Amino acid sequence: MTTYVRDFSQGNKDQKDLLGGKGANLAEMTNLGLPVPPGFTITTEACRAFLVAGHEPDGLDGEVDRHLRGLEDRMGRRLGDPDDPLLVSVRSGAKFSMPGMMETVLDVGLNDASVVGLARQSGDARFAADSYRRLLQMFGTTVLGIDGAAFSDRMDAGDLLDVDELRDVIADFKETIRTHTGADFPQDPREQLRQAIRAVFASWHTPRATLYRRHEQIPDDLGTAVNVQAMVFGNRGTASGSGVCFTRDPATGAPGAYGDYLPDAQGEDVVAGIRNTLALTDLAALHPACHAQLLAAMARLERHYRDLCDIEFTIEDGRLWLLQTRIGKRTPEAAVRVAADLVDEGLIDLDEALGRVGGQQLAALMFPRFLPDPDRVAAARGMSASPGAAVGRAVLDSATAVEWAARGEDVVLVRKETTPDDLPGMVAARGILTSRGGKTSHAAVVARGMGRTCVCGADAIEIDVDARCFRVRGGPVVQEGDVISVDGGTGEVFLGSVAVGESLVARGLAGGPVDDPTARAAARLLGHADTRRRLAVRANADTPDDARLARALGAQGIGLCRTEHMFLGERRALVEALIVASEASDRDAALARLLPLQRQDFTEILAAMDGLPVTVRLIDPPLHEFLPDLTDLSVQVALEDERHVADERGHLLLAAVRRLHETNPMLGLRGVRLGIVVPGLFAMQARALAEATADRVAAGGDPRPELMVPLVATERELLLVREQLEQVIGDVERERGVRLSIPIGTMIELPRAAVTADRIALAADFFSFGTNDLTQTTWGFSRDDVESEFVQDYLDQGVVATSPFESIDVDGVGELVRTGVRLGRQARPGLHMGVCGEHGGDPQSIHFFDDVGLDYVSCSPYRVPVARWEAGRSALGSQRRADELARTFASDHPVLAGVD
Amino acid sequence: MTTYVRDFSQGNKDQKDLLGGKGANLAEMTNLGLPVPPGFTITTEACRAFLVAGHEPDGLDGEVDRHLRGLEDRMGRRLGDPDDPLLVSVRSGAKFSMPGMMETVLDVGLNDASVVGLARQSGDARFAADSYRRLLQMFGTTVLGIDGAAFSDRMDAGDLLDVDELRDVIADFKETIRTHTGADFPQDPREQLRQAIRAVFASWHTPRATLYRRHEQIPDDLGTAVNVQAMVFGNRGTASGSGVCFTRDPATGAPGAYGDYLPDAQGEDVVAGIRNTLALTDLAALHPACHAQLLAAMARLERHYRDLCDIEFTIEDGRLWLLQTRIGKRTPEAAVRVAADLVDEGLIDLDEALGRVGGQQLAALMFPRFLPDPDRVAAARGMSASPGAAVGRAVLDSATAVEWAARGEDVVLVRKETTPDDLPGMVAARGILTSRGGKTSHAAVVARGMGRTCVCGADAIEIDVDARCFRVRGGPVVQEGDVISVDGGTGEVFLGSVAVGESLVARGLAGGPVDDPTARAAARLLGHADTRRRLAVRANADTPDDARLARALGAQGIGLCRTEHMFLGERRALVEALIVASEASDRDAALARLLPLQRQDFTEILAAMDGLPVTVRLIDPPLHEFLPDLTDLSVQVALEDERHVADERGHLLLAAVRRLHETNPMLGLRGVRLGIVVPGLFAMQARALAEATADRVAAGGDPRPELMVPLVATERELLLVREQLEQVIGDVERERGVRLSIPIGTMIELPRAAVTADRIALAADFFSFGTNDLTQTTWGFSRDDVESEFVQDYLDQGVVATSPFESIDVDGVGELVRTGVRLGRQARPGLHMGVCGEHGGDPQSIHFFDDVGLDYVSCSPYRVPVARWEAGRSALGSQRRADELARTFASDHPVLAGVD
């Protein structure tokens, strides 16, 4: 027969599945001999049976009776005894922490008779009355489902009521219960307990708990355990109190106990922050014995759990009780530092230290951040598109940004959305803020590439460029030139200047001088990751500066050097000439003028990456992206016509824009299609790269370029382009009298390329999976459109757990990647394969790419350490463990443990 | 040791791989005892060896010598003998016919000496000189590679030259050869032969032959055979002549021999059409014995080949020689009629008859066509977007089309491109002509759905709506109201009226009264196909009229009833109200007014398809498609502002259009996403269908509706929508007190849906593959964009053999369909599956869908007979055979056999 109830002494910390996290840890502490109020745990199995059947499983009631009797015997008191009542708490406790999501009922066992006994035994009538009041309120809302507002009116005065007033409140609350339920508050303590247990079971399925689980990817069918524990009271006068403590500082990771204590209070009062707490050191003065006992317990627990623990404790009449412990939540700084310190202390090895800290936590440390300030209020909020913290004067166009930055001002570029024309302003600005667009809008992608702070889609902001200001909806008007602060990590926008802390971790990892324990710890663990990982890490970098930065951060080459950014700025006129050319000779002339500029780009990047591979992607976007927007230009030309100030050029340009306009540019004339349809374009780029390579060879360098063809769907496309490219490379070899080795590979970024990868492999020297575009086509999603339109709906409704543009969709897109890898290597064993695009820097995705056997990932420079880190963790085979720990650890902010 | 040369008597018709088509048929005729000039065939194997090695394979020369001696012995003359020379022709002949693509050299064996012997033996010095002149010219261009222009100057006068003049030309041509090659024309006959053979081998790799093969999907590595045959001369005076004949009329299929004869001429003169030919009946008067012998040979060949044959023949001095035979090319009419007639004549059975005629040929007979007229010249040409022939007055907008049609005029709607707003005009017009867009533009798709003739993307047409006219580039101006004729089968546009023939086949298959042998034959073979096929055929139909037509043409239900067309016309205002609604109540009001209209649509369609399934697809396109175009509206509002005539509504509408504007609408907020994000929309449609079903049940009907959810990527989307739909259906069941059976299925039209079909199957009652969208996403192609931009480039360069929107891309898109079928049935054995979309009516694709095990295809009404036909052929397992025959048969026009 199934056993549904376990005494604390019957369990241990590894039984979270059955006992929940809280129950398992209470059992562990009990068995360690620590002072835990006795009690028992009703298993998650009982909860699951209850949820399926709609009532308690057979035998549960009897088991509870038996364990309750045991508890009563141990405590020498009986539940709800009118003379000297045993009171119990009834708390939820699931396998995964779901703070505040499910129900708790305290003081079970009080009734009209036992409250008198409690008053007598405690010598504190007010305490007893207040406890009864608490029970009525908690039971009424939690167990009986009465709206909390029905109880709160009378309690606004809170602690200030005296005994008589409390008695009135008790009478009122009992009346409220009768009115709302048609029945009296149950005076039978055992019936109170039965209903409380049932309420905790049922709270598994409240909407907020369901939503939380969906959001945290916690399975819906686990159920919660229920812990029934003898009550101890921190609110029995000045010799009592409650506190929360950590074995190390959860904000910084610094060694040494850390905590808060509140005299004459229960645990929830500490968390609620009703009164100011005392520091743990003050406890030493108040209760030296308890303090010493607590420190010993903390040391014991940390050694036992081999990690930072947090502990809830209560002192009742000078006696210490431990009510809960668990692995403590901590900031990313603390996570890194604690892991390294525990290695030094001999508690864990480097593998375990690395396995415990997620790359996402390292990522959070790579950018400057605003110093903490709980009182700061955001004026607006958008999407955290590119991390970091930017403070500067708001400017409303690119030219102003460049101008003001040139005279030494820090500026933040504020735009409705950005276009390639805004690039100079984005380079000049400390940060970018847009009112439209998602995490993969132009602003977001470019900003991430540059490591520039960016918040996108802050839709409460209404920009009026003509009036040189923007209005925060329902808020103030910000004039151009006013200082604002933008938090790329949280998406918050603040008015005025916020203090910023530099990222010492980033400085340290890039080889700069740093004296900071977290930075040292990060470098040490990253070094260890490098010794473990199989996966190489390259960077996405389009400029010599980016290439140098990436190399400093440990990149083993460039996996994606986009060339479209090289066609902007002052070169735009040449590109425009190329596009609108009606004669082949005009087109050739424009290409001839672009050639030396492009060659110069490549020469510098090859120099910065000397000795390491540089994968150059041939131009990918549709050409009309280099021309003005159709709607804007149409309006402009129509108005010029109306005003009789039209010029011929406007009309010619409009004709070209109309001709090139595409209904779905993402699915139009781009990538390899340009190479086949537009004569000379790819050849010019290949020549520029080949000549740059020859120049580098002549200069004694060790250039290792690779040419990559985007958007290939069939082997024939690749063969046609390959023929062009090899021809050009051969020409340059003959002209320069050198032998150039430039492998030619392809992006696998269309579903068709993935399912025909065996044929494509025969024409490719390497594969690079472009999972951004592959996600768009596999899902039939346009990033630009869906992120602003319905990804939030989809997250809310649980259609997707995370945006497939953030972490690779393993079941769908991942299946195509697996197919591409399998077919490609089937046709050409050992074919070199990597991934470029945003997923290459995403921790969760990196494990997937390692598992499917890619050779490298490529990501933006500041993500390179993150990728090295995760590649190391992946090699440890720690995925499963990492997933479990992620739920316990992950948090970007210092968090005091809540009451579950 | 390999044998590279075979005498004609050593081969047979089944050895096309080795002997080529011409050689195999010459061998067959030889063995039948028919009068074939003797000769031998050098195998394709020799050619392949030559092409690989770059020279003749060892032993070939000796074999040719031996066979040549045998030929000389048989003819009693020696090659190039000065007194009585044997002359030979050297002709290519590959496995698959490649008319005019490769080389031929005639009169090999003539030189300065033998030309005298030939003159003496023939008694015709001019004939001998002209033959020598022909050899020099042909040898010079074909074997020696001299530009034809070097010879043509002197020959413009052609037949008019006398002997002396011809001798001058001969001297000139020899000089030309000497000048261009630095060597004399080879006087050695054996050397002439050697070089001629080599030239034929090499001609396999000429660019035009390579391009032809790529276009016809003929493998590149087959090589050609070479036929060396004793020359016979049809140009030796009035007792000689050449002709081409068919065993039946290749244009109509009518029984009885049919052919052309040209006295005193060689075969190429007949084909070139230099002089008017005589009919075959005239030959009876000129050469009664030859005529009788020819008729007997024709009868013999048709019985032997069991099919219509064409034959080239020459009469030399009153003696009949057969030079070539093959299965004759024929029109679609003839193909259908001949196949049925041969069944009646006991030569083939119905299976073989059906196997011989492709569905594409039946398709060509389903629409009215212009009567043939070789002199007619097209004024412009576009893409053949929807077949048929339309004659009417050109009108330049939808309203005019409706107005003029209402007063009884036939009109052709001429637009730059069409939008849903043009629908009334498209319905009113006989045909549609656009200057932009491809085969899957709005105009094309809608026209095909309606069976309306349409030519798209005729880019030589420049429309000036303001001036009410259009200009044909480099041609005339056509005023609105002028009559034009549009050929949807060829894409041609004619000025003025062209005579049209109705499709008797379509009339007959739809059950109308017809007395036409082809129509009877088509009905008979189609009936046979129905007895054979496994695959069911449904129609895509959105209106009651279409549903009735489809049913008359044999549809077994509706596989795709689009609902977006139901939101156009006068209902547009309601849709606009729905979209711009800012309050839920406004939105609900708009939906409530749409409900009864939508219900009425469904009721009529269910009535028309009573007893058969009707699959209704929930609304699919992005909502902004129902609003004005962003650019147009922006210009309009800007101009109104400029003129101070702006109204509030314009600005509100523009704001809504801007808000809903998408960068890539194909990949945006559409399909199931609308059902999740826009409250009440799908529910309204489901209620309309459920109520319509209840109404039909109440009226004693047998409605069989199905609900289909578009653009599903994950099972969760489908589950969320399914919940909504089941709720509504349940509500209607309770309200009406009936039990409704409405299966809920999904489109599989995204790569993600295909690779996760096992999960999606658990939430779906059926699958319908949407291969249009699946092709777009698998290739990363937008139909609208690529068809106008680069599909033609891709076809030209052999990247694709046919547009993947016409015939399913078996390797890429097909692989995903296979995956979807496999996973879907793995999860739910027996899951019902079909395909809707354009591929469902494409013959080649239908074989694929049959092979992968779909249950049905669905296509536009006029394609239903084609689909039934091909489904029957597919069931015969005749795919391989059909492919081979297609190359021999397929042609839309009567063709006289060319000389290969």
Side-chain angles (χ1 to χ4, degrees), chain A residues 631 673 717 752 794 809, chain B residues 631 673 717 752 779 794 809:
Chain A
T631 298
R673 300 162 194 173
E717 290 171 315
R752 193 179 195 286
Y794 266 41
D809 154 36
Chain B
T631 299
R673 301 162 194 173
E717 290 171 316
R752 194 180 194 286
W779 282 82
Y794 265 42
D809 155 36

Side-chain angles (χ1 to χ4, degrees), chain A residues 558-572:
Chain A
I558 292 181
L560 173 62
C561 175
R562 297 182 190 85
T563 53
E564 44 270 23
H565 293 158
M566 301 176 184
F567 287 140
L568 297 174
E570 54 204 14
R571 303 176 187 181
R572 205 183 184 85

Side-chain angles (χ1 to χ4, degrees), chain B residues 657-688:
Chain B
V657 170
R658 277 208 191 114
R659 182 165 47 82
L660 291 172
H661 180 70
E662 295 182 310
T663 315
N664 297 288
M666 161 70 203
L667 304 177
L669 181 53
R670 44 172 292 233
V672 67
R673 301 162 194 173
L674 289 172
I676 292 175
V677 171
V678 182
L681 183 58
F682 277 14
M684 182 278 286
Q685 296 199 291
R687 173 167 280 276

Side-chain angles (χ1 to χ4, degrees), chain B residues 84-221:
Chain B
D84 184 9
L86 169 67
L87 305 184
V88 297
S89 62
V90 181
R91 296 175 200 257
S92 65
K95 176 178 180 187
F96 300 112
S97 172
M98 295 170 57
M101 286 301 129
M102 287 178 301
E103 304 298 3
T104 290
V105 189
L106 304 179
D107 300 323
V108 167
L110 278 180
N111 55 22
D112 293 350
S114 65
V115 69
V116 180
L118 181 63
R120 189 163 49 235
Q121 286 296 330
S122 66
D124 186 344
R126 194 193 164 283
F127 156 71
D130 191 47
S131 297
Y132 195 24
R133 184 270 306 172
R134 287 179 190 240
L135 172 62
L136 288 169
Q137 187 169 4
M138 224 179 255
F139 199 94
T141 53
T142 298
V143 179
L144 303 175
I146 300 167
D147 187 347
F151 297 99
S152 61
D153 285 356
R154 286 301 305 269
M155 282 313 300
D156 286 348
D159 284 342
L160 304 176
L161 302 183
D162 65 19
V163 175
D164 289 336
E165 289 169 322
L166 280 168
R167 286 194 183 119
D168 287 351
V169 172
I170 287 168
D172 274 7
F173 280 9
K174 290 202 287 192
E175 180 56 33
T176 300
I177 287 173
R178 193 176 306 115
T179 313
H180 279 82
T181 67
D184 284 330
F185 169 74
Q187 292 289 322
D188 174 6
R190 185 63 185 82
E191 179 60 23
Q192 289 174 11
L193 178 59
R194 190 174 293 115
Q195 291 192 26
I197 291 169
R198 201 179 293 157
V200 173
F201 282 160
S203 69
W204 178 258
H205 275 328
T206 57
R208 63 176 179 170
T210 304
L211 200 67
Y212 181 88
R213 283 195 298 273
R214 192 178 286 169
H215 191 258
E216 298 288 313
Q217 301 178 58
I218 298 173
D220 241 5
D221 56 358

Side-chain angles (χ1 to χ4, degrees), chain A residues 324-390:
Chain A
Q324 176 167 348
T325 191
R326 56 186 176 182
I327 303 296
K329 296 193 187 214
R330 69 204 73 178
T331 62
E333 284 93 327
V336 171
R337 181 168 176 188
V338 167
D341 283 354
L342 292 177
V343 174
D344 288 336
E345 293 166 27
L347 287 179
I348 59 176
D349 63 14
L350 275 167
D351 281 353
E352 179 150 11
L354 182 62
R356 284 186 181 183
V357 185
Q360 206 59 55
Q361 292 173 290
L362 179 65
L365 300 176
M366 289 296 293
F367 296 90
R369 278 174 303 166
F370 290 130
L371 300 178
D373 173 0
D375 298 332
R376 195 163 56 217
V377 177
R381 188 181 286 272
M383 270 171 274
S384 55
S386 177

